[in-house]
Amino acid sequence: MNDRPDADGIDDRHRPGVEEFVTAWATALHRAHYVPITAEQRHRIVSALAERLVTAVLTDPVRPGDGQRIGTDLVAAGFGSPEALGGTIAVIGARLPAALGVAADPTRATRLNGLLADLAAGFASAAHDRSLREQDAVRLAALDARTQAEEALRVSEARFRRFATHDQLTGLPNLTRFTEELGRLCSAAVPVDRVGVCCLDVDDFAAVNDVLGHRVGDLLLREIAHRLAALTDPRIGLVARLDSDRFAILVRGTTCAEDAIKIADRALATLAAPFRVNGTEVPLTASAGVAEGAVADDGATLMRDSEIALHWAKADGKGTLRRFDQDRSAADAARYRLSAAMPAALHRGEFTAAYQPIAALRSGRLAGVEALARWRHPQLGLLTAARFIDLAEHTGLVVALGRHLLEQACRQASRWQRIQPGLYVSVNVSVRQLRRNGLAGEVAQILDRTGLPPHLLQLEVTEQAVIDLTGVVTESLAALMALGVRIVIDDFGIGYANLANLRSLPLHGLKLDASLTRPAAQPVRQPGARRPGTDDDFLRTVVSLGHRLGLVVTAEGIETAQQAHRLAATGCDNGQGWHFGRPVPPDEITASIVAQRDRDPVSRDTALPAFPAQQR
Amino acid sequence: MERPEWAPADVDLSRPSVARAYDYWLGGSHNFEVDREFARQAMAAVPDLRLVARANREFLHRAVRFMLDQGVRQFLDIGSGIPTVGNVHEIAQQVDPDARVVYVDIDPVAVTHSTHILAGQPNAVALLEDLRHPEAILEHPETRRLLDLDRPVGLLLVSVVHAVPDHDDPYGLIKRLWTALAPGSCVAISHVTTDSRPDEMGEGTRLSGRTNTPVTARTRAQVEDLFAGLDLVEPGVVWSPLWRPESPAEVGDHPERMSFYVGVGRRR
Ligand SMILES: C[S@@+](CC[C@H](N)C(=O)[O-])C[C@H]1O[C@@H](n2cnc3c(N)ncnc32)[C@H](O)[C@@H]1O
């Protein structure tokens, strides 16, 4: 405030009037406009302004600009509203001339008028300026707010984008980013002809998490990510973590699959070095699947192919890499389709049994038949068990399928009793069936329903099925034995037969695998090695082992009369194979039984006529 | 994909802002035509709205001076709006140059303007935060830097609580705020009501639906409930001009026309 010290014109005569004027002015201003100051502060400000006004009226010579400055300072003090100006003019006009005693002095009155006009002009111009300043300020604020909001948006979008495209744990790009980049490379816009995708997965990582805990698991994943990211090769486009313990490497500009395989190899090698977490060494292996192709192939296909190949690597024993291969994939797909079609096929009765003769080797007569599953596939024709049993085993459908075949076979065998009493039927039982509770109960019911005497049902189990005798398997076998059903080991001699089990199991017989009955290839002679026995020595030993254990021995895979003779000579009890007949529909077995009976009503023959083989 | 939580608010200048309309009612020019258009519409409904705004602003200042008299030297002013003459830090720093003020508003323009005004002010900041997220305000690094929550704080909720609808639980929000403050802290609240002028203020309230912060008017009992758990300072919850006026002359003939319930509570 630039109020001047004691001005010329004011004398004490005017003091009370001026004082009243100040009070009135302050009140008018306060009523017109709010300024956050106390009444006392307001009075001080107004009285200083009043003093300058009074001085300007009373002092000569006139100093230009006094009125304007008072107007300006009024606004500066905060009283800038139109109402404040109105109130000011009203109070000055009404009170000041009388207070100063200049009402009758035309010179002073004119001067006051002039001052008032100046004050109003100064006020208006200051208020206008203030208004413009405030407008500028708010515009600037709005502009800044916008910029800041946009910047914040940009930062948050960048964060969001990073969040959306990167894995939080390892900091590697994630599946989204990987797919995006792959898509970009596969779009024609980029001058890269071929790309490769290596999909990597840590073997048995779940076990690491389970045993060492998730914290250690996370540390390992970081380290894995770190090692993969550290691989340097100009062809590596991107290393990503797809999910849990699955990573992927995008390989650019490959010329052939080998280029991508090399990188996958290096990735597996870098992961092969043991990991150290908290001072403990954690050895890990990983598997990889590689797909490589021209960019015209779409990225999603390459991605999927690499995952299929990874799946193969896992299935083929882990710790290795596989390259995607269209043929294997097509075969997989066909198997999958077949597997998926099985339940409905079973329901529609597409599964039937074919029967293969089993002959007594000494007489050559039909002793029994083996029931073999067949699938009358509407498109693919008649499929042998080799095409689908593994699939059924895998999906578990083998249980229902097995039950279905068992029932068919028992019913059929029961019918044959009328024309050849004592003919037995041999049916395969899968591991899955054996491991389930209640197999014996099911068998009992089937025998009941079909009327087949239990001892004419022979169940074939593999060595594999009994290698590990868990409670359920042993119980099932014991219960079946108790029923009077016969149990034989199938494919004997190719698995890891547990000889101790042979002794403890309630077995009826052994079926020697065809590979044992065929003549062996000439063995390579090792100097000093013991002279190997002849094939016959070998067979005789196996057969007598069976006999020593009280088992009936059946040889499979007999294709010629000569083989039949050889085996008969070893003392083997029964034979099965093309020489005696291929698997055929049941009516052909019926026909052969009838033919055999007609030809040889009381057969106690010592010769070995081939059982009339029915070729289909 | 869904936008994450940290996505910033947009600056929509096509909608009237209460902060800027309020500035207009107080005679300021920190406003745009959309704001003035809304402000004039509201004045058509409530002809003496300027006085209502002024009475509210005067309460803010009396409350701040009261708190300063109580020894409070740090303030948290939520819903601080566009800085006009007589901002809290100016008043407080007249008494103690070392007084601290944290301004909070959800209006981005109000906050940037405040930030401009506060440039070179080490003891005051303006934060873009929301009354509905008390912890974000209390735990903001700037709040922590400026305010010592072990010493009393003056919490100013002047003409802002009515911007919080019931479903955001203003009662709970206020409590969460002051429970974080030291004993001896004071809470000033002023709040719009339609109790005295149901028609005019009702229309004004309805119009606020056009702005970025619509208003929920509350009754005296409800406003008293906002102070639940605090010791209400004399004279309790009253019409804005009646709260510790500088002189009886200041009150005017019809304080109820000022349509704001105000009060100050103290944390035990
Ligand atoms: C009428 S002004 C009050 C200004 C100052 N407190 C006064 O009374 O003089 C109301 C302010 O509250 C702000 N506001 C509304 N809702 C809010 C919320 N949820 N959080 C923070 N500020 C809010 C508005 O943006 C506006 O600036």
Side-chain angles (χ1 to χ4, degrees):
Chain A
M1 220 118 310
N2 57 344
D3 42 344
R4 280 171 270 152
D6 227 3
D8 315 333
I10 300 189
D11 62 51
D12 288 344
R13 270 181 306 140
H14 305 132
R15 277 287 166 212
V18 169
E19 207 36 61
E20 261 174 49
F21 164 71
V22 165
T23 307
W25 194 8
T27 307
L29 285 176
H30 182 47
R31 195 172 298 139
H33 194 90
Y34 174 61
V35 178
I37 49 177
T38 59
E40 188 196 322
Q41 286 170 319
R42 191 163 52 237
H43 189 85
R44 222 184 305 125
I45 292 167
V46 174
S47 81
L49 289 172
E51 190 129 338
R52 282 162 58 193
L53 185 62
V54 169
T55 308
V57 175
L58 299 181
T59 312
D60 292 316
V62 178
R63 294 186 321 173
D66 270 354
Q68 268 179 19
R69 274 191 292 274
I70 293 170
T72 305
D73 289 346
L74 197 52
V75 172
F79 299 97
S81 72
E83 293 81 3
L85 178 61
T88 297
I89 290 171
V91 169
I92 293 175
R95 295 193 180 244
L96 199 55
L100 297 181
V102 296
D105 180 343
T107 324
R108 303 281 166 199
T110 308
R111 185 182 285 186
L112 180 58
N113 262 347
L115 274 167
L116 212 48
D118 285 355
L119 183 153
F123 182 100
S125 136
H128 185 220
D129 282 355
R130 186 202 64 158
S131 210
L132 291 176
R133 262 197 317 276
E134 291 187 1
Q135 281 280 299
D136 284 352
V138 74
R139 261 170 227 292
L140 200 64
L143 212 67
D144 257 22
R146 269 233 167 119
T147 315
Q148 278 171 25
E150 272 158 18
E151 172 63 14
L153 193 69
R154 221 177 46 69
V155 168
S156 90
E157 258 167 7
R159 270 177 73 186
F160 180 54
R161 166 131 185 92
R162 186 160 175 90
F163 182 78
T165 57
H166 284 75
D167 165 42
Q168 304 300 294
L169 177 69
T170 62
L172 286 184
N174 63 10
L175 176 63
T176 307
R177 176 77 192 90
F178 191 84
T179 325
E180 192 181 270
E181 182 64 11
L182 182 58
R184 200 177 65 79
L185 288 187
C186 285
S187 74
V190 183
V192 178
D193 290 328
R194 296 175 71 86
V195 286
V197 175
C198 307
C199 201
L200 296 133
D201 189 292
V202 182
D203 296 328
D204 305 313
F205 193 72
V208 173
N209 267 336
D210 288 349
V211 176
L212 303 177
H214 282 273
R215 231 181 46 77
V216 172
D218 285 354
L219 288 174
L220 279 170
L221 288 172
R222 284 209 188 127
E223 175 61 19
I224 291 167
H226 184 74
R227 289 193 193 178
L228 292 178
L231 288 174
T232 46
D233 189 301
R235 289 205 168 112
I236 295 180
L238 198 72
V239 176
R241 176 175 177 224
L242 304 185
D243 59 40
S244 60
D245 50 321
R246 186 166 292 201
F247 295 82
I249 303 175
L250 183 61
V251 190
R252 297 178 308 191
T254 49
T255 53
C256 59
E258 231 8 83
D259 291 340
I261 288 173
K262 257 183 232 149
I263 286 175
D265 247 339
R266 286 181 51 203
L268 291 188
T270 189
L271 299 184
F275 289 81
R276 285 201 153 269
V277 207
N278 304 335
T280 327
E281 202 162 273
V282 187
L284 287 178
T285 60
S287 306
V290 178
E292 193 268 349
V295 289
D297 301 356
D298 89 280
T301 307
L302 272 178
M303 189 84 198
R304 203 198 50 216
D305 290 352
S306 73
E307 282 180 337
I308 290 173
L310 172 63
H311 190 75
W312 295 341
K314 292 271 185 191
D316 294 353
K318 302 175 180 170
T320 180
L321 72 83
R322 285 289 174 272
R323 172 192 163 187
F324 178 76
D325 159 47
Q326 197 58 53
D327 292 346
R328 182 168 176 180
S329 168
D332 272 6
R335 279 163 57 83
Y336 173 76
R337 275 195 298 276
L338 213 55
S339 168
M342 265 206 248
L346 180 62
H347 194 70
R348 285 195 298 265
E350 287 174 18
F351 288 96
T352 58
Y355 298 88
Q356 186 171 33
I358 300 173
L361 278 176
R362 272 198 299 140
S363 65
R365 285 179 58 87
L366 182 67
V369 289
E370 178 175 355
L372 294 159
R374 292 289 181 268
W375 180 358
R376 294 190 179 284
H377 194 282
Q379 282 91 44
L380 303 175
L382 191 70
L383 304 181
T384 65
R387 290 282 296 274
F388 60 83
I389 275 297
D390 284 353
L391 301 179
E393 186 81 43
H394 189 71
T395 59
L397 192 77
V398 76
V399 172
L401 182 60
R403 196 188 305 128
H404 172 75
L405 282 171
L406 190 65
E407 175 126 19
Q408 274 198 4
C410 289
R411 179 157 291 122
Q412 185 56 54
S414 184
R415 283 195 206 114
W416 281 323
Q417 298 312 308
R418 276 177 261 139
I419 50 171
Q420 181 176 343
L423 182 82
Y424 70 87
V425 67
S426 198
V427 182
N428 293 286
V429 173
S430 74
V431 184
R432 277 228 196 207
Q433 282 172 289
L434 268 184
R435 293 212 177 124
R436 266 176 83 249
N437 278 313
L439 175 64
E442 272 171 26
V443 171
Q445 282 180 7
I446 290 171
L447 290 171
D448 229 33
R449 275 203 293 274
T450 58
L452 184 70
H455 70 279
L456 296 183
L457 173 60
Q458 172 171 298
L459 297 180
E460 302 186 7
V461 300
T462 57
E463 286 176 337
Q464 203 58 39
V466 294
I467 197 162
D468 154 42
L469 285 176
T470 60
V472 185
V473 174
T474 322
E475 276 165 33
S476 283
L477 291 173
L480 289 166
M481 235 279 286
L483 281 179
V485 169
R486 299 173 178 180
I487 292 157
V488 301
I489 299 275
D490 195 11
D491 301 331
F492 182 77
I494 53 163
Y496 307 90
N498 183 335
L499 290 177
N501 280 354
L502 284 190
R503 200 180 45 186
S504 60
L505 282 171
L507 291 180
H508 178 77
L510 299 177
K511 289 184 82 176
L512 305 187
D513 189 73
S515 57
L516 293 187
T517 58
R518 255 180 251 125
Q522 253 334 94
V524 181
R525 277 275 178 143
Q526 291 285 329
R530 275 165 50 105
R531 186 187 71 91
T534 62
D535 288 343
D536 286 356
D537 289 342
F538 178 71
L539 273 175
R540 206 169 290 120
T541 311
V542 179
V543 171
S544 79
L545 167 74
H547 285 165
R548 277 292 176 82
L549 292 169
L551 303 176
V552 174
V553 182
T554 304
E556 291 186 281
I558 298 178
E559 291 173 1
T560 63
Q562 194 201 354
Q563 276 178 358
H565 279 292
R566 268 183 57 222
L567 277 155
T570 64
C572 187
D573 305 289
N574 296 329
Q576 185 181 345
W578 289 5
H579 173 64
F580 299 109
R582 298 189 178 220
V584 291
D587 38 335
E588 292 187 27
I589 296 286
T590 309
S592 345
I593 294 173
V594 171
Q596 177 181 258
R597 202 176 47 185
D598 293 350
R599 198 176 56 234
D600 185 17
V602 267
S603 149
R604 283 293 173 265
D605 207 337
T606 44
L608 278 178
F611 183 79
Q614 309 288 326
Q615 305 282 338
R616 268 186 63 95
Chain B
M1 230 170 290
E2 218 171 304
R3 199 151 261 310
E5 256 189 66
W6 60 79
D10 193 22
V11 179
D12 181 1
L13 295 180
S14 66
R15 278 181 98 186
S17 137
V18 167
R20 295 189 302 261
Y22 181 75
D23 172 77
Y24 179 72
W25 293 322
L26 289 179
S29 303
H30 303 98
N31 39 67
F32 300 114
E33 188 51 30
V34 264
D35 310 316
R36 294 188 287 273
E37 192 199 317
F38 159 73
R40 285 188 293 259
Q41 270 182 10
M43 283 162 68
V46 185
D48 48 358
L49 194 50
R50 293 200 127 138
L51 295 180
V52 172
R54 169 176 170 171
N56 173 66
R57 188 82 184 159
E58 287 177 321
F59 161 71
L60 166 68
H61 292 135
R62 295 200 301 278
V64 169
R65 288 201 188 96
F66 169 82
M67 293 180 191
L68 286 165
D69 286 348
Q70 302 293 306
V72 173
R73 290 294 179 269
Q74 31 182 15
F75 294 87
L76 178 55
D77 183 359
I78 304 182
S80 48
I82 296 271
T84 60
V85 213
N87 295 299
V88 175
H89 72 281
E90 292 164 354
I91 295 174
Q93 288 173 3
Q94 276 171 19
V95 173
D96 182 347
D98 204 32
R100 310 286 173 100
V101 183
V102 173
Y103 293 106
V104 174
D105 207 287
I106 46 162
D107 187 314
V109 179
V111 173
T112 31
H113 185 222
S114 306
T115 305
H116 291 167
I117 297 270
L118 297 176
Q121 259 289 341
N123 289 339
V125 285
L127 310 178
L128 184 60
E129 290 291 347
D130 191 330
L131 167 58
R132 286 165 296 186
H133 302 141
E135 286 73 27
I137 297 173
L138 291 165
E139 277 150 30
H140 195 288
E142 286 295 285
T143 310
R144 293 282 153 165
R145 180 176 71 81
L146 277 184
L147 304 187
D148 175 358
L149 297 189
D150 294 330
R151 289 174 45 225
V153 169
L155 173 59
L156 306 171
L157 297 168
V158 182
S159 188
V160 66
V161 181
H162 46 240
V164 180
D166 281 341
H167 63 75
D168 281 329
D169 185 23
Y171 307 93
L173 292 174
I174 291 173
K175 190 162 200 160
R176 268 151 73 193
L177 281 167
W178 63 249
T179 43
L181 306 181
S185 293
C186 295
V187 183
I189 299 174
S190 81
H191 199 293
V192 166
T193 187
T194 53
D195 281 1
S196 53
R197 305 165 72 182
D199 295 344
E200 294 156 305
M201 287 309 290
E203 174 63 7
T205 304
R206 204 186 55 71
L207 282 170
S208 75
R210 288 185 46 212
T211 70
N212 54 355
T213 50
V215 160
T216 304
R218 293 193 170 87
T219 64
R220 180 191 290 266
Q222 286 173 318
V223 174
E224 279 168 351
D225 278 350
L226 295 172
F227 289 96
L230 294 168
D231 291 336
L232 261 179
V233 169
E234 279 301 311
V237 171
V238 293
W239 297 113
S240 49
L242 292 175
W243 197 89
R244 298 181 175 238
E246 260 182 55
S247 74
E250 297 281 314
V251 172
D253 290 339
H254 290 289
E256 81 286 352
R257 286 184 63 82
M258 296 302 101
S259 294
F260 266 79
Y261 286 125
V262 308
V264 172
R266 192 190 279 108
R267 175 155 167 46
R268 248 169 282 166

